[in-house]
Amino acid sequence: MHTREACVAADRLDPLASIKNQFDLPPGVIYLDGNSLGVLPRTAAARAADVIGKEWGAGLIRSWNTAGWFDLPARLGDKLAGLIGAGKGEVVITDTTSLNIFKALAAALRIQQQARPGRRVILSERDNFPTDLYMIQGMIDLLQQGYEMRLIDDELPLEQALDDSVAVVLLSHVNYRSGQMHDMRAVTALAHERGALTIWDLAHAAGAVPVDLQGAKADFAVGCTYKYLNGGPGAPAFIWVAPRHTDNFWQPLTGWWGHQRPFDMTVAYEPAGGIRRYLCGTQPIVSLSLVECGLDIAHAAGIDEVRKKSLALGDLFIALVEERCAGHPLTLATPREHALRGSHVSFRHPNGFEVMQALIARGVIGDYREPEVLRFGLTPLYLGHADVWDAVEVLKDVLDTRAWDKPEFKHRAAVT
Amino acid sequence: MHTREACVAADRLDPLASIKNQFDLPPGVIYLDGNSLGVLPRTAAARAADVIGKEWGAGLIRSWNTAGWFDLPARLGDKLAGLIGAGKGEVVITDTTSLNIFKALAAALRIQQQARPGRRVILSERDNFPTDLYMIQGMIDLLQQGYEMRLIDDELPLEQALDDSVAVVLLSHVNYRSGQMHDMRAVTALAHERGALTIWDLAHAAGAVPVDLQGAKADFAVGCTYKYLNGGPGAPAFIWVAPRHTDNFWQPLTGWWGHQRPFDMTVAYEPAGGIRRYLCGTQPIVSLSLVECGLDIAHAAGIDEVRKKSLALGDLFIALVEERCAGHPLTLATPREHALRGSHVSFRHPNGFEVMQALIARGVIGDYREPEVLRFGLTPLYLGHADVWDAVEVLKDVLDTRAWDKPEFKHRAAVT
């Protein structure tokens, strides 16, 4: 398929090709950053106008009931459930991924405090997304109970790190930088064998790869809706708890939305039964409502078709970069093997930051992550094979002409 | 002023009368629930369309920089600051009130752990909004360090409860049910004299009454933007920390947005200097952006004019209810004295729930809070004296005709 014509032909046979029309994409852009911020569903503008004009403006306070605002976290959670191998009533969409990590970690530690007291290690990965590691550190510092964070890396593999001092394992299913994917089922089984509970961060997995939380016997999962699920900038995140754990403990962010009868206005906190106890405060209804637009498209596409195309686009991208950009100092940072790969592909380049700025200036939008990593999200819902071809041609030209070597591409803004 | 004509005349002289045109209000409704959910600013729909279409749709990931998304919590916090007696760089708009209570409480307890170790009491008020009490309970249970909650009430007044075991005092400036207002300056001074730190919940105060956090020498404050500030349903909340405390400790919800250099992707958490350390995860940008529409109107009106009219409307409402509805079992639950009153007025009625449902059915929208409390928010930005007159006439008719005594008004939905 290493001609543009072959790519165009592949797009013609693509069962997902028409899904692209469900998004508003800016002209002149090849968007390879859906792993950071997903694109705009066509239905979102009208949905927002409706929520703002009719539900807020006309319905006012009545909309908590009549527009179903109060049930929105659970109703949208049910809609997400099928994409991650969860059941109805097991997921809520609420707060942020960071906060949901805090809830899951607190609950998991408390369950272990009862079941296996004395375990004081929270295991994660050196290369995990920093907020996961930061939330662990905040929790350890807060509790002052002698917990410590242990990080797996090349020197300390999981098998060795996972000893009987480990209470909880917190891993990202798909790594934010390399795109490497853990075998959720195998890792969970190993953790359980060693007496640890698992928390899976699905930020780069939900909507991108098939996830089977129940099948993997996972314990907790969190993730975000604004990447592959196209829920909108900073849209509320989600949390899933295995039903066998849900009612064992609540979680310490005990706001009134997690109360069994929030409008009784009682003095004593009493956690709601089920996943609602993972709610805390009043949710941002406009942003939350828009999550549904992206979820509907994900369901229409089907996660298996998405995965199939994602792998095809990833294979194509890797092959084309290695073929067309040969001779440039690019190193693949993502596993080639399908079972080990999510839906983005990363290459290292010594001038990665500048190269990415030059690409963005030409309308090929990926992103850059320290150190040296160029990330390219390959999102099957709105990218085709010819888009991949065209993006690599721009990359080739940027490298061949050293177009990246200009002062304006060296400036680092707050967010890159 | 106890004729409708006098009310209409008063409205003609009202310097805030024209502000009402800055909101989209549904026809046929007298909205007395701005203390629960504020109304829709006329600019909000266009702002949302812009954020969704241009910033998200066209700008995509670039908008974190080009549209200023990353700075939004701090920029809007600066805009709010002037309304609550805070300085620039001291407020962020982020997360929920409940979560911001958690952050403030954790930080205050840690500061006290250093300054006055051994203090184990968190003092609040039995009649405080439940989420405040629930967050305290969640924190106590999480820490397992022997903290306890003590509640002031009629039997245990503040003066007596505030002994040298109290670490932190968490109070609502204006009570959610009765509308009673604490003297922030006096209570803070007393707390400091006894060695306690103060956290003020401004949910029912911000935008409703003049607040002077710096003048009162308060320590921490949190509050919401979707009531008197008209930020939209569930819009993100705010947190203020006195500059003398900000860099003493961070807070335990240590997400990447609170990191000094979030995009360095370092393993170790390092809190940002200043109020940004009170951020945690990625914020819901659409909902957050809309907060600005309400803030702009609040600034245009001016909090002193708002307060003056709020008290006038409150006086009028109380006088009219007592005069026009005399003979019905209504008991004023709000202090008459101006210095002790916020911007809503509550009456108890043995059939309060049904009475409120009957009022809402006739377009007079207040709300009901257990037990027996009818709440009427008197929001000067979009209510006039004649509205108050008309609302009381409907109340009078509902009571005189026992219109509330119907089966359909007894049903209690999830949110009331």
Side-chain angles (χ1 to χ4, degrees), chain A residues 65 110 131 134 141 254 266 415, chain B residues 65 110 134 141 254 266 415:
Chain A
N65 292 312
R110 184 62 71 96
T131 217
Y134 301 159
D141 185 80
T254 45
T266 60
V415 186
Chain B
N65 292 311
R110 184 61 71 95
Y134 301 160
D141 185 80
T254 46
T266 59
V415 185

Side-chain angles (χ1 to χ4, degrees), chain A residues 290-415:
Chain A
L290 299 185
V291 172
E292 188 158 21
C293 304
L295 287 178
D296 284 340
I297 299 176
H299 277 290
I303 192 69
D304 291 328
E305 282 297 337
V306 165
R307 176 60 170 169
K308 204 169 125 192
K309 183 173 167 189
S310 157
L311 289 169
L313 294 181
D315 288 345
L316 175 65
F317 184 76
I318 293 170
L320 286 178
V321 170
E322 294 188 334
E323 185 183 303
R324 312 275 309 157
C325 306
H328 293 291
L330 286 165
T331 320
L332 182 64
T334 303
R336 289 173 203 274
E337 197 183 325
H338 287 181
L340 298 180
R341 198 166 88 200
S343 195
H344 73 267
V345 170
S346 298
F347 280 92
R348 286 175 179 256
H349 185 286
N351 299 93
F353 182 83
E354 293 91 331
V355 171
M356 184 51 73
Q357 303 318 304
L359 285 173
I360 292 171
R362 295 199 186 181
V364 176
I365 303 183
D367 64 22
Y368 172 79
R369 286 293 177 261
E370 293 290 348
E372 297 191 357
V373 174
L374 298 157
R375 289 200 307 184
F376 301 96
L378 301 164
T379 44
L381 297 179
Y382 46 89
L383 283 177
H385 300 75
D387 294 320
V388 170
W389 175 276
D390 293 343
V392 175
E393 288 307 287
V394 175
L395 174 61
K396 173 177 159 51
D397 189 64
V398 160
L399 295 173
D400 286 351
T401 64
R402 288 183 66 93
W404 53 266
D405 193 9
K406 291 183 183 162
E408 69 260 37
F409 296 140
K410 295 188 194 303
H411 171 72
R412 304 213 171 191
V415 186

Side-chain angles (χ1 to χ4, degrees), chain A residues 24-26 29 31 33 36-41 44-45 48-49 51-53 55-62 64-65 69-71 95-96 98-99 102-103 106 110 113 126-127 129-131 133-139 141-145 149 151 176-177 226 230-236 249-257 259 261-270 280-288 290 360 363 365-367 369-370 413-416, chain B residues 24-26 29 31 33 36-41 44-45 48 51-53 55-62 64-65 69-71 95-96 98-99 102-103 106 110 113-114 126-127 129-131 133-139 141-145 149 151 176-177 226 230-236 249-257 259 261-270 280-288 290 360 363 365-367 369-370 413-416:
Chain A
D24 265 322
L25 298 165
V29 161
Y31 194 60
D33 214 2
S36 188
L37 173 64
V39 300
L40 172 62
V51 173
I52 292 169
E55 296 181 10
W56 175 14
L60 288 166
I61 193 69
R62 297 168 290 197
W64 282 106
N65 292 312
W69 288 349
F70 198 72
D71 288 324
D95 295 333
T96 66
S98 301
L99 290 165
F102 189 88
K103 298 171 194 173
R110 184 62 71 96
Q113 201 180 39
R126 189 169 303 281
D127 197 31
F129 186 70
T131 217
L133 307 182
Y134 301 159
M135 294 309 295
I136 293 172
Q137 292 166 54
M139 179 72 79
D141 185 80
L142 177 68
L143 293 182
Q144 300 178 300
Q145 290 172 14
M149 180 169 78
L151 300 177
Y176 81 102
R177 186 157 39 197
Y226 56 74
N230 305 298
F249 182 62
W250 54 98
Q251 51 85 20
L253 303 176
T254 45
W256 69 313
W257 273 42
H259 194 279
R261 292 175 308 279
F263 288 89
D264 279 10
M265 305 282 167
T266 60
V267 166
Y269 182 72
E270 185 188 334
C280 179
T282 309
Q283 291 301 295
I285 294 299
V286 181
S287 284
L288 180 57
L290 299 185
I360 292 171
I365 303 183
D367 64 22
R369 286 293 177 261
E370 293 290 348
V415 186
T416 54
Chain B
D24 265 322
L25 298 166
V29 161
Y31 193 61
D33 214 3
S36 188
L37 174 63
V39 300
L40 172 62
V51 172
I52 291 170
E55 295 181 11
W56 174 15
L60 287 166
I61 194 70
R62 297 168 290 196
W64 283 105
N65 292 311
W69 288 349
F70 198 72
D71 288 324
D95 295 333
T96 66
S98 300
L99 290 165
F102 189 89
K103 298 172 193 171
R110 184 61 71 95
Q113 200 180 41
Q114 303 295 324
R126 189 169 303 281
D127 197 32
F129 187 70
T131 217
L133 306 182
Y134 301 160
M135 294 309 295
I136 292 172
Q137 292 166 56
M139 179 71 79
D141 185 80
L142 177 68
L143 293 181
Q144 301 178 298
Q145 291 171 14
M149 180 169 79
L151 300 177
Y176 80 103
R177 187 158 39 198
Y226 56 75
N230 304 298
F249 182 62
W250 54 100
Q251 53 84 19
L253 303 176
T254 46
W256 68 314
W257 273 41
H259 194 279
R261 292 175 307 281
F263 288 88
D264 278 11
M265 304 284 165
T266 59
V267 166
Y269 182 72
E270 184 187 334
C280 178
T282 309
Q283 291 302 295
I285 294 298
V286 181
S287 283
L288 180 57
L290 299 186
I360 291 171
I365 303 183
D367 64 22
R369 287 292 178 263
E370 292 291 349
V415 185
T416 54

Side-chain angles (χ1 to χ4, degrees), chain B residues 266-305:
Chain B
T266 59
V267 166
Y269 182 72
E270 184 187 334
I275 193 66
R276 279 176 187 266
R277 62 178 55 190
Y278 282 81
L279 300 176
C280 178
T282 309
Q283 291 302 295
I285 294 298
V286 181
S287 283
L288 180 57
S289 297
L290 299 186
V291 172
E292 188 159 21
C293 304
L295 287 178
D296 285 340
I297 300 176
H299 277 291
I303 192 68
D304 291 326
E305 282 295 338

Side-chain angles (χ1 to χ4, degrees), chain B residues 209-403:
Chain B
V209 300
V211 176
D212 186 7
L213 289 168
Q214 287 187 339
K217 297 190 167 49
D219 299 293
F220 297 85
V222 302
C224 104
T225 64
Y226 56 75
K227 297 177 185 290
Y228 293 97
L229 293 171
N230 304 298
F238 65 85
I239 182 165
W240 169 83
V241 180
R244 67 183 177 279
H245 295 309
T246 312
D247 289 340
N248 281 359
F249 182 62
W250 54 100
Q251 53 84 19
L253 303 176
T254 46
W256 68 314
W257 273 41
H259 194 279
Q260 176 69 17
R261 292 175 307 281
F263 288 88
D264 278 11
M265 304 284 165
T266 59
V267 166
Y269 182 72
E270 184 187 334
I275 193 66
R276 279 176 187 266
R277 62 178 55 190
Y278 282 81
L279 300 176
C280 178
T282 309
Q283 291 302 295
I285 294 298
V286 181
S287 283
L288 180 57
S289 297
L290 299 186
V291 172
E292 188 159 21
C293 304
L295 287 178
D296 285 340
I297 300 176
H299 277 291
I303 192 68
D304 291 326
E305 282 295 338
V306 166
R307 176 60 169 167
K308 203 168 127 194
K309 183 173 166 188
S310 156
L311 290 170
L313 294 181
D315 288 345
L316 176 66
F317 184 76
I318 293 170
L320 286 179
V321 170
E322 294 187 334
E323 184 182 304
R324 312 274 309 159
C325 305
H328 293 292
L330 286 165
T331 319
L332 181 63
T334 302
R336 289 174 204 273
E337 197 183 325
H338 288 180
L340 298 180
R341 196 167 89 201
S343 194
H344 73 267
V345 170
S346 298
F347 281 91
R348 284 173 180 257
H349 186 285
N351 299 94
F353 181 83
E354 293 90 333
V355 170
M356 184 51 73
Q357 303 317 304
L359 284 173
I360 291 171
R362 295 200 187 180
V364 175
I365 303 183
D367 64 22
Y368 171 80
R369 287 292 178 263
E370 292 291 349
E372 297 190 358
V373 175
L374 298 157
R375 288 201 308 184
F376 301 96
L378 301 164
T379 44
L381 296 180
Y382 46 89
L383 282 178
H385 299 74
D387 295 319
V388 170
W389 175 277
D390 293 342
V392 175
E393 288 306 287
V394 176
L395 174 62
K396 173 176 159 49
D397 190 66
V398 161
L399 295 173
D400 285 351
T401 64
R402 287 183 67 91

